[in-house]
Amino acid sequence: MKYIIIFLFASIISSAQINKEQLNIMPWPQNISLSEGVFPLTKNLKVNITGAPNSRIFIGATNFLRRLDGRTGLFFNQGFITGLNELPDAELQINCVRAGKIELYEDESYLLDVTANKITINATTDVGALHALETLLQLLQNNSNSFYFPISKISDFPRFTWRGLMIDVARHFMPVDVIKRNLDGMAAVKMNVFHWHLVDDQGWRIEMKKHPKLIQMASDGNYYTQEEIKSVVKYASDRGILVVPEIDVPGHGSAILTAYPEIGSKVVNLHLNSGEKGQQFTQIQSYSIERNAGIFSPTLDPSNPKTYQLLNEFFDEICPLFPGKFFHIGGDENEGKDWDSNPKIQEFKKKHNLANNHELQTYFTMQLIPMLKKHNKVLMGWEEIMTKNMSKDAIIHSWKGSNEGQPAGKSLADAAKGGYKTVLSNGYYIDLVFGVEDHYSVDPMPKNFVLTDEEKARILGGEATMWTELVTPETLDSRIWPRTAAIAERFWSNENIKDINSLRKRLNTVSFRLEELGLTHLKSKEGLLRNISNNQKSDALVDLSNVCEPIKQYSRNKGGTEYQMYSPLTLFADVCTPDASDAIGFNEAVNDYLNNKTNENQIIVTNYLNKWVNMHANLITLSNNAPLVQPLLPLSKNLKDISEQLLLKINNNQSIGASVLDELLEKCNSKEHADVELAVYNSLKKLVQA
Amino acid sequence: MKYIIIFLFASIISSAQINKEQLNIMPWPQNISLSEGVFPLTKNLKVNITGAPNSRIFIGATNFLRRLDGRTGLFFNQGFITGLNELPDAELQINCVRAGKIELYEDESYLLDVTANKITINATTDVGALHALETLLQLLQNNSNSFYFPISKISDFPRFTWRGLMIDVARHFMPVDVIKRNLDGMAAVKMNVFHWHLVDDQGWRIEMKKHPKLIQMASDGNYYTQEEIKSVVKYASDRGILVVPEIDVPGHGSAILTAYPEIGSKVVNLHLNSGEKGQQFTQIQSYSIERNAGIFSPTLDPSNPKTYQLLNEFFDEICPLFPGKFFHIGGDENEGKDWDSNPKIQEFKKKHNLANNHELQTYFTMQLIPMLKKHNKVLMGWEEIMTKNMSKDAIIHSWKGSNEGQPAGKSLADAAKGGYKTVLSNGYYIDLVFGVEDHYSVDPMPKNFVLTDEEKARILGGEATMWTELVTPETLDSRIWPRTAAIAERFWSNENIKDINSLRKRLNTVSFRLEELGLTHLKSKEGLLRNISNNQKSDALVDLSNVCEPIKQYSRNKGGTEYQMYSPLTLFADVCTPDASDAIGFNEAVNDYLNNKTNENQIIVTNYLNKWVNMHANLITLSNNAPLVQPLLPLSKNLKDISEQLLLKINNNQSIGASVLDELLEKCNSKEHADVELAVYNSLKKLVQA
C-alpha cells in the first residue's frame, strides 16, 4: 500500500506543469525555459562541487543547504561542504571554471539546468555559481505534501556590473550583525556592491589606531573595530560583494573637525592670552558632533597642508582594510560658507587662480587622487566633484535630479559624455520612502539623453542609497526591503522586464523569503506595534498601519531639527512602510468596482470601508491604556468619517452633499498627524468623484 | 483654555493611587512603599550623576533615557551622559559613593526615592545604581494620555550574590549580538553572572593565536575572536555582569581532540608503516567534531604530560581575556570508557595509587588549579569534580537531581558541608522546556538538608543553564525568556515572594519589555510561523501554537541522534514554548467553571472549545499549500474531536459514553506528533471527568 501511494504521489508531482507566471524569481533571469515535470526534493539531496572555484562556494553551498532545509524541514543528510568533489554522485552538481574575483566586470553568468533527477550549475566563476544557487532557492515550489523544483533551463547574466546598495552608518550607527544580514539580502537578489558611508557630520565610525581621537571624540562609542571591518569585507566577499568605503570630505566634516579642529575652515577667533612669558595669541576653534539632520557648514580647510597630511595618514590606515579598487571620498553638499568667510582661504584661491569654490574643491579632490593611487585605489565621489579639471580616472556618482533642480539623469549623461565612468543613484533614494513603483520605473540608462555606445559603456550601473537620519537598526531593514529587491531587478534584468503587477506579486514572496536570512523588515513591525499598543493585542492598530505610510521626502523631519539622532524612532511612522498593503489592495478593489459595478466588486470595496469604521472604535478603546495611540485617533477618525459617508453613498445611494464629502475627503489628505499619511486618499477620491 | 486642561489633567494624575499589585517589578524588591501621587514624565526629564562611580553608570543612564524615550515617545532633550554633575538641577539624581567592582559580594544595594518632582537614587556602587534604574523602568505607569512614576520608596539588595545564566555556544554557536542582547536581558532582571560554555564535543569557540588548529579544525568557522570576547566582557561589565568562561575537560573532549588527537585517551591502533629507512610504528588516532547530542567517550589523557602542557598553554592565552576571578573547567559526564580501555592509563592509575576513575579525574583536575592560580583564577567545576581530595578552593557547581538518581539539592548541601563554595543549577535547566512554575518553586537554599549558617553562607546562589542542542540563534531567546526572569527573582528576592499568580501577571509585562533590548523571544515566533504556513496568514496556526508545548526533558531528540547540529530547527516545535498561553488561560477557565458553573464561566470554556473546532478546519485549508502544516493536523484533529464531544456534554448534556470519551482524551496525551504535546490535556481531563 505504501508503495502505491508513493507511486501515485510521484506521478502527481511529475505531471505538474509550472508556468513562468507562478515563479517568484527576482531579479528575473535573462533566459528561462520550463518543461513539464519536476525534480522532487528529498532528504537525500546532496551537493557536489567541481572545477577550480574560490572557497567561497563551499560556504555558499552549505548555506544553501541549510536555508533549503529550514524551509522544507527535510533534514538533509549533508552537513558542511568543505572541499572539491566530496560526493561525485550528488544530485546537485556545481562546476566553476575558475576562482571569481570581487571586482567590476567579473564574469557573474551561470547556467542552471534542472532535470527530473539532476540539477547542474555551470559557471565561469564561483560568483556566478552563487547567483545560480539563489535562483534555485527562488525556484522552489510545493504542493500540499512536498517540495520540488520545476524542470527548467536558465541562462543568466547581469545587465549592469555595478548593482549597489549604500548604507549610511554615520547618522545612525548600524552594528555589524545588521550590516551582515543586509549583505545576505543583497546577495539573495544578486547585488554586488556595498557602499559603506562611514563618516559624516554625525560621527566617525572606523577605529583608527594612529588617530584614536577620531573615535574617542567623534563616535559616541559607536564605531567598527578594524577587525570588524575586515570581517564585514570577508563576509561580503564570501557573498560576491565588493565593499566601497566612503569618507565624506571636505564637507560633512563635523565629526572629523570635532577631533581635528585645526584643519577646519571656520574663521578663527583670536583671543589674547597672558602666558608666563608675556602675551600670546591663541587660536580657539571648536566643533562638535552634529545631532540634527541637514547640510552643515563644517568643512575641511583646502588651504591647510595639515589637512592633506592628516587625510593621507587616514587613508594609509583605512585603505588596507578594503581590498577593493574603489574609494569614495564623498565631496557632496559643500556649500563653502566657511570658505567664503575665511580670508586665508580666499587668499589661497587667488594665489592658485581658482575662480570659485567649485574649482577650489576640485583642487582639494585632486590632492586626494595620488594618496589613493598609492594604495591602488580609484577615487569615486558624488557628482559635485565633476568639474573641467577633474581627473578622468575618477568615478562620478550621480545623485541629483528634479528635486535638486536639474533634469533626472543629466549628471549621469554629462559624466558619461565627459569621459567618466559613472553610477546612478538619483531615483534610487530609498530613504525618501516612496513606493516601489517609483524606483522600479527608473532605468540606469537615461532615455532622455543621446549617448554613444562608448558613452553608454561608461554607465556602470546603479545604487540604492539608504540614508539613516530617521532609521535605527530596528527599522533599517524595513526601509531597505523589499523595495531594494525591485531595484536589484532593474540593475540585473533585461530593461523590458517592467510589469508592475508581476513585480508586486513576486515581491510578496521574495520579501517573505528574505527574512530567512535574519532580516527583520516584516517581523520588526510586531515589536514596535506592541510598544505603541502598550502590550495590548490589537488588529485595529495593524489595520491602521496597513493604510498609512510615513510622510515622504524628508518632510517628517522639518528643517532637520524635529528629530535628533537620539530621538525615539519607535513611533507609528516607524512601523509604517511605503507600499502600504491595504492601500494597494483597496486601490485595486476601487478600480475593479468603478470599471464593473458588480455586487461582488462592491462587497470587496465596502468590506474595506466597514473595516475602517470598526477600526476607529477599536482604536479608541485601545487608546484608553496606550498614550502612543492617542495621536493616531485623528487619522482613524478621518478615515472612519469618509468611510461612513461612502458606505451610505454606495449601499444606499445617499449623500450628504458634495461639499461636505469633499471636506471629509480632504481631511484624509492631511499630513499633520503622527508623521504619516493615509495612503488610501487617491482611491477614496475616486469613490467620492464617481 | 490650554492651562485649564493641563491643570485638570495634572490633578487627575497626581491623585492616582497605585497599588503594589499593579506594579510589574521583577525581581520584586526587598522593601517597597507607595504613597499617593505621581512623578509625571515630560520631555524635560534629565539625569544627573554625582559621587565617584565607575563610568559604566554613564552608559547605563544614557541607555535608560533612550529606553524610556522609546517607550513614551517624549523626545527627551538630553542626549548622551558622559560625565559627573553635568546637570545639577536634573529631576533624576543618581549618587554613587564609589566605583563598583565586577566581582562576588560587591555591594549591589540601592535606595530609590520617587517624589512628586524629584527622583533620587542612592547607591554605594554604580552596580547598585544600575539596578535602581532597571527598577525605575519597571515602575513606569500610564493612563490614557501620559506616563508617570508612582511616588514610592524602595530599598533593595540581592538575597544571593551569584545570579547566573549559562549559555552553551558549543552545540549551536551564538553570534556576539545574540550574546549581547541576552546580557541586556540579564541586567534588566538584575542577574550578575554570565557563564559562557565555550567548548564542548561539538566545537571550540575561542580564537587561539598560539594554537590556531583549534579553530581551524574544530569550529566550522564559528568562533569568537579574542577581540569579540573582550568586547563581550566589556559589555557585560558595563551592565554589572561577571563573565565566567568554561573550557569543559577532561570529558566532552571531541573538539579539542579533533585538533590534538595526541592527548586523547582512546587506545592507539598501531599500524606497520614501511618508511624509507625500514619499518616504523605510526600511531593512528582520529577524532572529529561531534554532530549528535549526548555523552561521548572522547576524553583527554590524564596520564600524558602533553595534556597538561597544552592546557597550561590554552589557559595562558584564555585567562587574560577574562578579568573575573572564576574559571569553569567543566569536569562533568566523564564516563571514563576510554580510560578503562587504555592500558597506559590503567598503569598510571596504579602507579599513583588512584583507586578509580573518579580519583584519576581528581588527580587531573588538581593539576589545573595551579595553572589557573597563576592567573589569579579560582577553579570551578560541575559537581563531579568534588571528591575527598579536591581542593577546598574549588567551587562546586551542583547540577544533578532526581533525574540523575539523587535527591535534589544533595550535592549542593554536600558541597557546603564539605567546605566548598557552591552554586545550584539543578532545578534551573531551562533547556528541559518545563513551565516557569517548576523553576520558580526551586529555592537555592535546600530545605531538605540541615545546614549551619556557615554552611549556608557557602551557597553562593544559582544559575539557569541554557544547553543548546536544539536551540539556534533564532530560537535561543524564546528558550531563555521570559522564564529566566522568574528564576532571577528567585535568586534576588526574599524567599517568601512566591505567589505564582503574581509571578504570571508580572511576567507578562516583563516579557514584553524585554524585547525593547533587542531580544526576540516574542517576535521570532511570527517569522517561524510564516515559514511553516508558507507565507499564508493564519490565526489557526497561531492558535495551535498557543496550546502546544515542545515535548520535554530531551525527549525531542531521542538518543541524541534524531537531530544533528545542522538539522532544521525551524519547525513547529521550535515555535512553541513552555507555558503555552491558551493552555494557561483554558486551565483557569476550566477551574472557574468547575468551581462555579455559571453561564458566564461556561461560555468562556466553550469559546475555547469552539475555537479549536474551527481551528482544525482552517488548518486543513492552510495545509493545501503548506507541507509543514501536514504533520500538525493529527494534533488539531485530536483536539477538535474531544472539543466537539465536550461541547455536546457541556451545552447539551449529551455524551457518547465514557470509554469513547476517554479514548479521545488519551489521544490528546500523545507525544507522537511534530515533537510537541497538547498542553491542555490536563484541563480537558478535568472536563471529561467532571
Side-chain angles (χ1 to χ4, degrees):
Chain A
M1 184 60 192
K2 240 182 181 174
Y3 282 83
I4 295 171
I5 290 174
I6 289 169
F7 176 78
L8 275 171
F9 183 56
S11 72
I12 291 165
I13 300 185
S14 65
S15 71
Q17 173 62 52
I18 310 292
N19 300 315
K20 284 185 191 175
E21 290 67 31
Q22 285 173 262
L23 300 178
N24 294 308
I25 307 180
M26 188 175 298
W28 192 256
Q30 302 291 346
N31 301 291
I32 175 167
S33 68
L34 292 171
S35 305
E36 204 169 298
V38 306
F39 173 100
L41 258 180
T42 73
K43 70 175 290 162
N44 297 317
L45 179 82
K46 291 184 185 68
V47 182
N48 190 51
I49 297 168
T50 56
N54 180 287
S55 64
R56 69 173 65 88
I57 192 64
F58 304 130
I59 298 170
T62 302
N63 288 344
F64 164 87
L65 273 177
R66 296 287 83 75
R67 285 162 67 191
L68 199 55
D69 214 9
R71 292 182 189 184
T72 61
L74 284 169
F75 289 77
F76 293 139
N77 291 314
Q78 195 174 12
F80 294 83
I81 302 165
T82 57
L84 289 175
N85 217 21
E86 291 177 331
L87 300 165
D89 297 330
E91 298 89 340
L92 172 50
Q93 293 285 334
I94 301 173
N95 185 67
C96 309
V97 177
R98 61 170 175 80
K101 289 181 187 145
I102 304 303
E103 59 185 30
L104 289 198
Y105 306 117
E106 177 55 294
D107 188 326
E108 299 183 75
S109 69
Y110 66 89
L111 297 168
L112 170 62
D113 190 4
V114 180
T115 69
N117 50 23
K118 196 167 184 187
I119 302 172
T120 315
I121 290 170
N122 276 295
T124 305
T125 70
D126 42 83
V127 178
L130 289 177
H131 293 322
L133 287 171
E134 296 294 346
T135 301
L136 186 56
L137 282 164
Q138 293 183 337
L139 268 179
L140 184 69
Q141 303 292 309
N142 67 276
N143 56 23
S144 63
N145 281 285
S146 62
F147 294 92
Y148 51 88
F149 298 116
I151 294 184
S152 47
K153 274 190 206 306
I154 292 175
S155 124
D156 202 7
F157 54 87
R159 181 173 166 219
F160 291 102
T161 191
W162 189 294
R163 305 180 306 281
L165 170 64
M166 187 211 78
I167 300 180
D168 167 13
V169 298
R171 272 57 178 261
H172 278 90
F173 181 68
M174 301 292 160
V176 167
D177 61 299
V178 177
I179 297 297
K180 286 185 176 174
R181 71 191 186 212
N182 278 286
L183 288 168
D184 278 313
M186 290 177 66
V189 294
K190 304 185 174 66
M191 299 182 93
N192 70 335
V193 177
F194 170 50
H195 169 182
W196 206 352
H197 186 82
L198 284 156
V199 175
D200 213 304
D201 292 297
Q202 293 80 1
W204 176 280
R205 305 296 180 205
I206 313 172
E207 176 192 28
M208 299 295 282
K209 298 195 173 169
K210 290 180 188 143
H211 300 85
K213 277 203 289 182
L214 284 163
I215 54 167
Q216 284 161 7
M217 302 178 68
S219 79
D220 299 312
N222 291 321
Y223 62 92
Y224 305 103
T225 67
Q226 295 194 1
E227 186 183 272
E228 284 174 329
I229 287 175
K230 286 180 201 165
S231 90
V232 167
V233 169
K234 165 77 163 59
Y235 197 87
S237 166
D238 285 342
R239 281 144 187 85
I241 295 170
L242 173 74
V243 181
V244 177
E246 178 181 348
I247 308 296
D248 201 350
V249 287
H252 292 270
S254 304
I256 296 173
L257 297 178
T258 298
Y260 293 97
E262 62 268 34
I263 61 168
S265 302
K266 199 157 64 173
V267 177
V268 169
N269 297 314
L270 296 180
H271 286 250
L272 285 180
N273 202 14
S274 55
E276 280 187 15
K277 297 184 178 179
Q279 287 191 332
Q280 291 182 314
F281 290 102
T282 306
Q283 298 189 350
I284 312 240
Q285 312 170 65
S286 99
Y287 295 89
S288 59
I289 303 177
E290 183 57 52
R291 304 301 184 190
N292 291 308
I295 303 175
F296 304 98
S297 55
T299 308
L300 275 53
D301 180 353
S303 72
N304 187 344
K306 177 123 199 239
T307 300
Y308 301 107
Q309 182 206 320
L310 276 172
L311 286 177
N312 192 33
E313 289 168 13
F314 296 172
F315 293 166
D316 283 350
E317 193 161 346
I318 296 169
C319 284
L321 303 174
F322 298 93
K325 199 177 165 187
F326 305 96
F327 197 104
H328 205 301
I329 57 85
D332 57 319
E333 299 182 323
N334 169 25
E335 300 188 331
K337 281 186 205 162
D338 285 359
W339 289 356
D340 290 337
S341 60
N342 186 324
K344 192 168 75 72
I345 294 175
Q346 292 308 313
E347 207 174 293
F348 183 87
K349 253 163 75 173
K350 266 186 223 159
K351 189 176 145 197
H352 287 80
N353 286 319
L354 301 165
N356 51 40
N357 285 343
H358 213 166
E359 288 191 13
L360 177 57
Q361 185 170 340
T362 302
Y363 172 91
F364 167 86
T365 309
M366 292 297 287
Q367 310 307 307
L368 310 188
I369 290 180
M371 298 181 195
L372 296 171
K373 201 159 202 169
K374 183 174 62 172
H375 295 284
N376 202 24
K377 297 264 186 283
V378 170
L379 181 144
M380 180 169 184
W382 300 101
E383 63 182 78
E384 287 94 327
I385 70 163
M386 180 170 58
T387 55
K388 63 181 194 301
N389 294 323
M390 179 50 55
S391 160
K392 300 295 179 194
D393 288 339
I395 294 184
I396 306 303
H397 198 159
S398 166
W399 71 275
K400 294 187 180 179
S402 49
N403 288 338
E404 293 75 24
Q406 68 183 42
K410 180 174 184 298
S411 59
L412 187 84
D414 286 349
K417 287 180 186 175
Y420 297 97
K421 291 201 174 99
T422 182
V423 170
L424 181 66
S425 275
N426 181 258
Y428 307 123
Y429 267 49
I430 48 181
D431 64 318
L432 297 172
V433 285
F434 285 123
V436 67
E437 195 167 354
D438 286 52
H439 304 301
Y440 193 59
S441 65
V442 176
D443 199 282
M445 198 57 72
K447 295 280 171 288
N448 43 344
F449 298 90
V450 179
L451 298 176
T452 66
D453 284 352
E454 202 184 348
E455 287 161 358
K456 283 181 180 171
R458 292 194 192 108
I459 296 176
L460 300 176
E463 192 175 291
T465 51
M466 181 73 254
W467 303 102
T468 58
E469 283 88 346
L470 294 178
V471 184
T472 66
E474 196 172 6
T475 59
L476 178 75
D477 299 358
S478 77
R479 269 52 188 143
I480 296 179
W481 308 105
R483 291 178 300 153
T484 297
I487 296 174
E489 175 158 287
R490 182 57 50 242
F491 298 162
W492 175 284
S493 304
N494 188 290
E495 61 183 310
N496 298 325
I497 303 296
K498 54 188 179 189
D499 180 72
I500 187 75
N501 292 323
S502 163
L503 176 84
R504 285 200 196 280
K505 182 222 134 217
R506 288 180 289 132
L507 203 53
N508 187 37
T509 298
V510 167
S511 179
F512 147 57
R513 289 299 185 197
L514 282 167
E515 278 208 337
E516 87 188 358
L517 299 164
L519 289 166
T520 63
H521 52 293
L522 301 174
K523 63 189 164 201
S524 69
K525 182 169 177 170
E526 186 192 325
L528 289 163
L529 286 180
R530 200 178 286 125
N531 187 50
I532 293 167
S533 71
N534 199 17
N535 203 26
Q536 300 173 91
K537 277 188 191 155
S538 168
D539 288 338
L541 197 54
V542 176
D543 288 343
L544 186 63
S545 74
N546 288 338
V547 293
C548 289
E549 297 183 2
I551 51 175
K552 299 178 195 311
Q553 213 175 342
Y554 308 142
S555 54
R556 182 172 175 191
N557 194 10
K558 296 181 197 95
T561 57
E562 195 176 329
Y563 284 78
Q564 281 75 48
M565 294 308 131
Y566 47 77
S567 294
L569 288 160
T570 52
L571 306 177
F572 190 67
D574 302 295
V575 173
C576 296
T577 62
D579 302 303
S581 58
D582 274 4
I584 292 169
F586 181 62
N587 192 44
E588 277 174 30
V590 168
N591 288 341
D592 290 347
Y593 168 67
L594 294 180
N595 284 331
N596 189 3
K597 291 194 174 175
T598 63
N599 198 34
E600 203 175 41
N601 283 340
Q602 179 173 325
I603 287 171
I604 299 174
V605 168
T606 55
N607 279 349
Y608 277 105
L609 298 171
N610 280 314
K611 178 160 88 169
W612 297 330
V613 172
N614 294 328
M615 176 179 80
H616 181 59
N618 290 331
L619 283 173
I620 290 173
T621 308
L622 190 72
S623 72
N624 288 335
N625 187 27
L628 292 179
V629 173
Q630 296 292 344
L632 315 182
L633 296 179
L635 280 164
S636 64
K637 179 167 190 315
N638 291 342
L639 184 54
K640 183 209 74 163
D641 286 347
I642 189 81
S643 296
E644 281 174 344
Q645 294 307 323
L646 286 170
L647 282 167
L648 285 173
K649 179 178 170 180
I650 294 170
N651 291 335
N652 309 76
N653 212 11
Q654 290 177 13
S655 176
I656 45 165
S659 71
V660 184
L661 207 54
D662 281 345
E663 203 178 303
L664 291 179
L665 175 69
E666 283 316 304
K667 282 191 174 174
C668 294
N669 198 21
S670 166
K671 309 209 190 312
E672 298 306 308
H673 304 295
D675 291 342
V676 299
E677 58 189 49
L678 284 170
V680 288
Y681 168 73
N682 286 323
S683 309
L684 293 169
K685 192 172 183 180
K686 288 180 200 169
L687 285 177
V688 166
Q689 296 177 345
Chain B
M1 182 61 190
K2 239 180 182 178
Y3 283 82
I4 295 172
I5 289 174
I6 290 169
F7 176 78
L8 275 172
F9 183 56
S11 71
I12 290 168
I13 301 187
S14 65
S15 70
Q17 173 63 50
I18 310 291
N19 300 314
K20 284 186 192 176
E21 290 68 31
Q22 286 172 261
L23 300 178
N24 294 307
I25 307 180
M26 187 174 299
W28 193 257
Q30 302 292 347
N31 302 289
I32 175 166
S33 67
L34 292 170
S35 305
E36 203 170 303
V38 305
F39 175 100
L41 258 181
T42 71
K43 70 174 292 163
N44 297 318
L45 179 81
K46 291 186 186 65
V47 182
N48 190 51
I49 298 167
T50 55
N54 179 286
S55 64
R56 69 173 66 88
I57 192 64
F58 304 130
I59 297 170
T62 303
N63 288 344
F64 164 87
L65 274 177
R66 296 288 83 75
R67 286 163 66 190
L68 199 56
D69 214 8
R71 293 181 188 184
T72 61
L74 283 169
F75 290 77
F76 293 140
N77 291 316
Q78 195 175 10
F80 293 83
I81 302 165
T82 56
L84 288 175
N85 216 18
E86 290 178 332
L87 300 165
D89 296 332
E91 298 89 338
L92 172 50
Q93 293 286 334
I94 301 173
N95 184 67
C96 309
V97 178
R98 61 169 175 81
K101 288 182 189 145
I102 305 303
E103 59 186 28
L104 289 198
Y105 306 115
E106 177 55 295
D107 188 325
E108 300 182 75
S109 69
Y110 66 90
L111 297 167
L112 169 63
D113 189 5
V114 180
T115 68
N117 50 23
K118 195 167 184 187
I119 302 172
T120 315
I121 290 171
N122 277 295
T124 308
T125 71
D126 41 82
V127 179
L130 289 177
H131 293 322
L133 288 172
E134 296 293 347
T135 301
L136 186 56
L137 282 165
Q138 292 183 338
L139 269 178
L140 185 68
Q141 303 293 309
N142 65 277
N143 56 23
S144 64
N145 281 285
S146 63
F147 295 91
Y148 52 87
F149 298 115
I151 294 183
S152 47
K153 275 193 206 302
I154 293 176
S155 123
D156 202 9
F157 54 87
R159 180 174 167 221
F160 291 102
T161 189
W162 189 294
R163 305 178 307 280
L165 170 64
M166 186 212 78
I167 300 180
D168 167 14
V169 298
R171 274 56 178 263
H172 279 92
F173 181 68
M174 301 293 160
V176 166
D177 61 300
V178 176
I179 297 297
K180 286 185 176 173
R181 72 191 184 211
N182 277 286
L183 289 168
D184 279 313
M186 289 176 67
V189 294
K190 304 186 175 66
M191 299 181 92
N192 69 337
V193 177
F194 170 50
H195 169 182
W196 206 354
H197 185 82
L198 284 156
V199 175
D200 213 303
D201 292 297
Q202 293 80 0
W204 176 281
R205 305 297 179 205
I206 313 173
E207 176 191 27
M208 299 295 283
K209 298 196 172 165
K210 289 179 189 144
H211 299 85
K213 278 204 286 182
L214 283 163
I215 54 165
Q216 284 160 8
M217 300 178 69
S219 78
D220 300 311
N222 292 322
Y223 63 92
Y224 305 102
T225 66
Q226 295 193 2
E227 186 183 90
E228 285 174 329
I229 287 175
K230 286 180 201 164
S231 90
V232 167
V233 169
K234 165 77 163 60
Y235 196 88
S237 166
D238 285 342
R239 283 145 187 83
I241 295 170
L242 173 73
V243 181
V244 177
E246 178 181 350
I247 308 296
D248 201 350
V249 287
H252 291 270
S254 304
I256 296 173
L257 298 178
T258 298
Y260 293 97
E262 63 268 33
I263 61 168
S265 302
K266 198 156 66 172
V267 176
V268 169
N269 297 313
L270 298 179
H271 285 250
L272 287 178
N273 204 12
S274 53
E276 279 186 17
K277 298 182 178 179
Q279 287 189 331
Q280 291 182 310
F281 290 100
T282 307
Q283 297 189 349
I284 311 233
Q285 312 171 66
S286 98
Y287 295 88
S288 59
I289 304 176
E290 183 58 51
R291 302 303 183 188
N292 291 309
I295 303 174
F296 304 99
S297 54
T299 308
L300 274 53
D301 180 354
S303 73
N304 186 344
K306 177 126 199 234
T307 300
Y308 301 107
Q309 182 206 321
L310 276 172
L311 286 177
N312 192 33
E313 290 168 13
F314 296 170
F315 292 165
D316 283 350
E317 192 161 348
I318 296 168
C319 284
L321 302 175
F322 298 94
K325 199 178 167 187
F326 304 96
F327 197 105
H328 205 300
I329 57 86
D332 58 319
E333 298 183 323
N334 168 26
E335 299 188 331
K337 280 186 204 163
D338 285 359
W339 289 357
D340 290 337
S341 60
N342 186 326
K344 191 170 76 71
I345 294 176
Q346 292 308 312
E347 207 175 291
F348 183 88
K349 255 163 74 174
K350 266 185 225 159
K351 190 177 144 195
H352 288 81
N353 286 319
L354 301 164
N356 51 40
N357 285 342
H358 213 165
E359 288 193 10
L360 177 56
Q361 184 169 341
T362 302
Y363 173 91
F364 167 86
T365 309
M366 292 297 287
Q367 310 308 306
L368 310 188
I369 289 179
M371 297 181 197
L372 296 171
K373 201 160 202 167
K374 182 174 61 173
H375 295 284
N376 202 25
K377 296 265 185 284
V378 170
L379 181 144
M380 178 170 188
W382 300 101
E383 62 182 80
E384 286 95 325
I385 70 163
M386 179 170 58
T387 57
K388 62 180 193 303
N389 295 322
M390 178 50 56
S391 160
K392 301 295 179 194
D393 289 338
I395 295 183
I396 306 301
H397 197 160
S398 166
W399 70 276
K400 294 187 180 181
S402 49
N403 288 336
E404 293 75 24
Q406 69 183 41
K410 180 174 184 300
S411 59
L412 186 85
D414 286 351
K417 288 179 185 175
Y420 298 97
K421 292 200 174 103
T422 182
V423 171
L424 181 65
S425 276
N426 181 258
Y428 307 122
Y429 267 50
I430 48 179
D431 65 319
L432 298 173
V433 284
F434 285 123
V436 67
E437 195 167 356
D438 285 53
H439 304 301
Y440 194 58
S441 65
V442 176
D443 199 283
M445 200 54 73
K447 295 281 171 288
N448 43 345
F449 298 90
V450 180
L451 298 175
T452 66
D453 284 351
E454 201 183 348
E455 288 161 356
K456 282 182 180 170
R458 293 196 191 108
I459 295 176
L460 301 176
E463 191 175 291
T465 52
M466 180 72 256
W467 304 102
T468 58
E469 283 88 348
L470 294 179
V471 184
T472 66
E474 195 172 6
T475 59
L476 179 75
D477 299 358
S478 77
R479 271 53 189 144
I480 296 179
W481 309 104
R483 291 177 301 153
T484 297
I487 296 174
E489 175 158 288
R490 182 55 52 241
F491 298 161
W492 177 283
S493 304
N494 188 290
E495 62 184 311
N496 297 326
I497 302 296
K498 54 188 180 189
D499 179 72
I500 187 74
N501 292 324
S502 163
L503 175 84
R504 285 200 197 281
K505 181 222 134 214
R506 288 179 289 132
L507 203 52
N508 187 37
T509 299
V510 168
S511 178
F512 147 59
R513 289 297 184 200
L514 281 168
E515 278 209 337
E516 88 189 356
L517 300 164
L519 289 166
T520 64
H521 52 292
L522 301 174
K523 62 188 162 198
S524 69
K525 183 170 177 169
E526 185 192 326
L528 290 164
L529 285 180
R530 201 178 286 127
N531 187 49
I532 293 168
S533 71
N534 198 17
N535 203 27
Q536 300 173 93
K537 277 188 189 154
S538 170
D539 287 340
L541 196 56
V542 176
D543 288 344
L544 185 64
S545 74
N546 288 338
V547 293
C548 290
E549 296 183 2
I551 51 176
K552 301 179 193 312
Q553 213 174 347
Y554 307 142
S555 54
R556 182 174 174 191
N557 194 11
K558 296 179 195 99
T561 58
E562 196 177 327
Y563 284 77
Q564 280 75 49
M565 294 308 131
Y566 47 78
S567 294
L569 289 159
T570 52
L571 306 177
F572 190 67
D574 302 295
V575 173
C576 296
T577 62
D579 303 304
S581 58
D582 274 4
I584 292 169
F586 182 62
N587 191 44
E588 277 174 28
V590 168
N591 288 342
D592 289 348
Y593 168 68
L594 294 179
N595 284 333
N596 189 3
K597 292 194 176 176
T598 63
N599 198 35
E600 204 174 43
N601 283 341
Q602 179 173 325
I603 286 172
I604 299 175
V605 168
T606 55
N607 278 350
Y608 277 106
L609 299 172
N610 279 314
K611 176 160 87 169
W612 296 330
V613 172
N614 294 329
M615 175 180 79
H616 181 59
N618 290 332
L619 283 174
I620 290 174
T621 308
L622 191 71
S623 73
N624 289 334
N625 186 27
L628 292 179
V629 173
Q630 296 292 343
L632 315 180
L633 296 179
L635 281 162
S636 64
K637 179 168 189 311
N638 291 342
L639 185 55
K640 183 209 75 163
D641 287 346
I642 189 82
S643 295
E644 280 175 344
Q645 294 307 323
L646 286 170
L647 282 167
L648 285 172
K649 181 178 167 176
I650 294 170
N651 290 336
N652 308 75
N653 211 13
Q654 290 178 12
S655 175
I656 46 164
S659 69
V660 184
L661 207 54
D662 280 346
E663 203 179 303
L664 290 179
L665 175 68
E666 282 317 303
K667 282 191 175 174
C668 293
N669 199 21
S670 166
K671 311 210 188 314
E672 298 305 308
H673 304 294
D675 291 343
V676 300
E677 59 190 49
L678 284 168
V680 288
Y681 167 74
N682 286 323
S683 309
L684 293 170
K685 193 173 180 177
K686 288 182 200 167
L687 285 178
V688 167
Q689 294 177 346

